[in-house]
Amino acid sequence: MYMLPIALIFTIILARICTTYDSRSSRGKYITIKNRTFAKLLIEKEHFLDKGKYTLQKDRNKMSIIGLIFYLCNLFIIILTLILLLLPQIPCVPFEIDATKMHLFADTINSKIPICFTMILLCSEFFYFAIMMFRYIKNVERKWIKCLMFIVSMIISLVCAAVIIEMFFELLKW
């Protein structure tokens, strides 16, 4: 359970990266944030895949819809975690992820639900990055880099899809 706050902070950082809107390349919907300080806090000004390509000054307070969705999911997980901390502990089938640097263990529903939702959100954000990498392949000139980006985006997509499916099935085990 001690890794949950670190994973949540990581999802918030990834959500901030996903918020960038640029009218030169983005054709999607966006939300305009009126408060400059709030916009500076929530929106990244440099593009993730196009380093050195800053957002136009007129677009600095525009947040993409996908970034807003990721922020709302983070807020939902934080509120859900706080609510579940107040409830009595409900035992369930134990769930454990044990790796070299990370150890997640949940033996109650109160800790299992936030962990699974955080992992689903984290993988969704990585899946979004894989899609963005796939979209930027056409901007790359060298053929071997195009192939490498294609392979990496496919691997990330498959791993994220597998983890998301596993977490959904883990949520069903009570």
Side-chain angles (χ1 to χ4, degrees), residues 130-170:
I131 292 170
M132 293 307 294
M133 277 179 57
F134 190 73
R135 283 183 54 197
Y136 275 92
I137 287 176
K138 63 182 176 199
N139 298 342
V140 177
E141 294 175 11
R142 294 193 175 144
K143 197 168 200 152
W144 69 274
I145 295 178
K146 283 184 180 185
C147 292
L148 183 65
M149 284 179 73
F150 178 77
I151 291 170
V152 168
S153 65
M154 287 297 130
I155 290 172
I156 291 172
S157 299
L158 291 173
V159 169
C160 288
V163 171
I164 288 171
I165 291 169
E166 173 65 27
M167 289 298 123
F168 275 123
F169 282 120
E170 194 61 46

Side-chain angles (χ1 to χ4, degrees), residues 6-171:
I6 295 170
L8 268 173
I9 290 170
F10 194 60
T11 59
I12 292 171
I13 291 169
L14 287 175
R16 186 175 191 271
I17 293 171
C18 296
T19 59
T20 308
Y21 174 81
D22 189 10
S23 58
R24 296 173 290 197
S25 61
S26 299
R27 291 177 293 280
K29 301 286 183 181
Y30 61 89
I31 302 290
T32 303
I33 298 176
K34 304 288 184 197
N35 188 339
R36 281 282 195 211
T37 309
F38 200 54
K40 228 182 234 189
L41 181 67
L42 292 178
I43 302 171
E44 186 76 24
K45 64 181 176 181
E46 187 176 18
H47 289 271
F48 175 70
L49 291 173
D50 288 339
K51 287 296 179 191
K53 182 179 176 184
Y54 288 92
T55 306
L56 297 173
Q57 190 65 33
K58 66 177 185 168
D59 293 337
R60 291 272 167 92
N61 62 341
K62 295 178 181 174
M63 178 190 294
S64 67
I65 293 292
I66 193 75
L68 177 68
I69 291 169
F70 286 149
Y71 274 132
L72 290 176
C73 289
N74 275 310
L75 183 65
F76 170 74
I77 291 172
I78 291 169
I79 291 171
L80 180 71
T81 304
L82 292 175
I83 290 171
L84 289 173
L85 283 174
L86 299 175
L87 295 176
Q89 300 293 320
I90 305 166
C92 68
V93 176
F95 164 68
E96 182 176 17
I97 298 176
D98 193 10
T100 309
K101 303 285 183 190
M102 182 179 81
H103 180 77
L104 290 173
F105 179 75
D107 59 350
T108 64
I109 291 187
N110 303 44
S111 58
K112 186 178 191 178
I113 290 175
I115 288 172
C116 290
F117 279 157
T118 303
M119 293 299 288
I120 289 169
L121 179 62
L122 189 63
C123 288
S124 300
E125 290 172 347
F126 276 120
F127 192 69
Y128 175 74
F129 283 126
I131 292 170
M132 293 307 294
M133 277 179 57
F134 190 73
R135 283 183 54 197
Y136 275 92
I137 287 176
K138 63 182 176 199
N139 298 342
V140 177
E141 294 175 11
R142 294 193 175 144
K143 197 168 200 152
W144 69 274
I145 295 178
K146 283 184 180 185
C147 292
L148 183 65
M149 284 179 73
F150 178 77
I151 291 170
V152 168
S153 65
M154 287 297 130
I155 290 172
I156 291 172
S157 299
L158 291 173
V159 169
C160 288
V163 171
I164 288 171
I165 291 169
E166 173 65 27
M167 289 298 123
F168 275 123
F169 282 120
E170 194 61 46
L171 280 172

